Amino acid sequence: MSDDDARPYSPVSELNLLRDFETSLEGQFFAPGFELFEFGDDLDWFCGDLPDAALDRLIPFAYATSSGSYYALWRCDDRADLATLPVIFFGDEGDLALEADGLRELFRLLAAEPEDPEDRADLAPAGEKYRAWLRENFGLTPLDTHTGTGSDSDSDSDSDEASNRAELTRQFACWIAEFASEELLDQVLGLLDLDREALGEGSEGRGLGAAS
C-alpha cells in the first residue's frame, strides 16, 4: 500500500466515511452531479478577485453538478470540528448560495429524491444505498430540497433553522465585504438576495481599495 492509499481523504471524519461509501459504488452516482474531489482543491469562483488570505478560508471538496459547480466549507472561525462549518455552493453559471449549515445537513439534502424523472431512475439503486448509509452512520433522514425540512421536523425547529441560515448568509456577506471590491461586493449581495443594510454599520467603504 502506498502512502497516498494509507492517508485519509481529509481531516473530516464525515467526509472520509462518505469517500469510502462513494468508492464502494464503483463509479455509480447517488445524487445528481455530486462527486468528491481532492479535499482543499484550488478552485476559485472569484477568478482572482479575492486575496489568498480570503481563499484560504474556503475549502472546496466536491462537485455539486456535472457542469462544474462545487461545494466548499467556509472557515468562518477556527473551530476544530470542520464538519460543522457552513457549506457554500459556487455555481458554474455564477450562482452563489449558503447550501447548508454543516456537512450533515448537506448529506440530508443529497438524500432527497431527484426532481428529474430520468435522474430518479438512473440514480435509484445507488440513492437507496446512500439513504441506508445515512441512516446507519448518522441516524439521519432526507431533507426536502425546497423546504429544507424532513419528515420528522416541526414548525418551531424549521423556523429556527431558517433564521440560522439567514444569519449565516448575512455573516458570509459581511466576511466577503472585508476583502471584495465594491463591484464584487454588489455582485455577491445580489446573488445572496441581500442589500448593504444587511451588512450593518461600517459596510460603506469596505473592500480592497479601502483596506489597502
Side-chain angles (χ1 to χ4, degrees):
M1 179 181 294
S2 68
D3 290 342
D4 287 343
D5 292 334
R7 263 200 313 266
Y9 163 70
S10 78
V12 186
S13 61
E14 285 85 346
L15 285 179
N16 294 340
L17 286 170
L18 183 60
R19 178 69 164 209
D20 290 344
F21 170 76
E22 189 181 72
T23 300
S24 75
L25 294 177
E26 299 181 333
Q28 296 181 73
F29 290 91
F30 63 85
F34 183 86
E35 184 178 11
L36 293 170
F37 53 62
E38 182 181 353
F39 185 78
D41 201 346
D42 59 358
L43 294 173
D44 179 10
W45 182 88
F46 299 96
C47 300
D49 288 338
L50 282 190
D52 289 344
L55 294 178
D56 286 347
R57 308 295 291 186
L58 295 169
I59 311 172
F61 64 90
Y63 288 117
T65 68
S66 57
S67 55
S69 303
Y70 66 94
Y71 294 125
L73 296 173
W74 170 40
R75 297 209 65 165
C76 54
D77 53 37
D78 292 325
R79 70 187 71 178
D81 187 0
L82 302 185
T84 62
L85 291 172
V87 180
I88 309 298
F89 171 85
F90 292 97
D92 64 294
E93 295 185 353
D95 298 336
L96 179 67
L98 189 139
E99 187 76 4
D101 63 10
L103 283 176
R104 295 193 181 205
E105 183 180 35
L106 177 66
F107 288 1
R108 297 184 71 190
L109 289 168
L110 293 173
E113 289 280 358
E115 294 182 10
D116 183 89
E118 186 175 343
D119 281 343
R120 275 202 303 274
D122 291 344
L123 301 173
E128 283 300 319
K129 292 178 182 178
Y130 174 69
R131 285 184 279 276
W133 173 87
L134 191 63
R135 287 192 301 271
E136 291 167 6
N137 285 274
F138 303 106
L140 297 176
T141 57
L143 276 179
D144 186 290
T145 54
H146 293 293
T147 64
T149 61
S151 59
D152 56 352
S153 63
D154 59 65
S155 58
D156 289 339
S157 63
D158 293 346
S159 177
D160 290 343
E161 289 172 4
S163 297
N164 181 57
R165 176 166 300 196
E167 176 58 19
L168 283 173
T169 300
R170 189 194 69 81
Q171 290 176 12
F172 180 69
C174 288
W175 175 73
I176 291 292
E178 297 177 17
F179 304 97
S181 65
E182 297 297 316
E183 181 180 358
L184 177 58
L185 178 57
D186 285 338
Q187 177 189 355
V188 167
L189 290 174
L191 292 168
L192 297 177
D193 198 23
L194 296 171
D195 55 32
R196 287 190 177 248
E197 290 182 1
L199 303 181
E201 295 182 6
S203 62
E204 294 299 326
R206 287 201 235 187
L208 293 174
S212 59

